[in-house]
Amino acid sequence: QVQLVESGGDLVQAGGSLRLSCASSRSIFSAYLMAWYRQAPGKQRELVASLQINGITNYADSVKGRFAISRDNAKSTVYLHMTNLKPEDTAVYSCTILLGGVTYWGQGTQVTVSS
């Protein structure tokens, strides 16, 4: 079993920045896919950013140029760097990792952006 713990969520003003972290209890060196999702109240969960083991990234159109996903294998941690935050970015952000053929999810961290 793999435990994922997200952190870094906070209340920020529009235009601000945050870095979310997703720490894994197991090495992510061989993780095939890592991703961040978000879910706002009353809305469906949406993919924000993903990072494949070969380094290929994918971003939702709404965050392109503002968010960046990265990994630190030595720390078994996946990051989501968020800049120029907007009120519409307000949501619970969750990370997911595909490791050993199993998809694991974290519990989520709240990001609130005030206007």
Side-chain angles (χ1 to χ4, degrees):
Q1 188 72 5
V2 175
Q3 306 294 326
L4 301 178
V5 179
E6 297 102 332
S7 61
D10 205 346
L11 169 64
V12 296
Q13 289 188 334
S17 300
L18 283 175
R19 186 185 74 168
L20 304 183
S21 300
C22 173
S24 170
S25 60
R26 273 179 51 186
S27 171
I28 63 170
F29 181 80
S30 60
Y32 181 78
L33 179 70
M34 292 150 284
W36 286 91
Y37 284 78
R38 68 185 180 187
Q39 186 166 22
K43 294 187 177 181
Q44 288 189 328
R45 184 171 62 190
E46 65 170 339
L47 175 66
V48 177
S50 64
L51 173 60
Q52 297 180 41
I53 194 169
N54 58 9
I56 294 176
T57 57
N58 183 51
Y59 295 94
D61 288 342
S62 60
V63 306
K64 282 181 180 177
R66 300 189 297 122
F67 290 11
I69 186 171
S70 65
R71 64 193 290 177
D72 186 332
N73 289 337
K75 296 182 178 179
S76 297
T77 300
V78 181
Y79 300 100
L80 184 66
H81 308 265
M82 305 186 294
T83 62
N84 190 22
L85 284 160
K86 304 176 180 180
E88 51 264 41
D89 294 319
T90 295
V92 174
Y93 287 70
S94 301
C95 67
T96 181
I97 292 178
L98 176 58
L99 183 62
V102 179
T103 299
Y104 300 94
W105 287 86
Q107 82 290 349
T109 185
Q110 176 70 47
V111 173
T112 302
V113 184
S114 63
S115 56

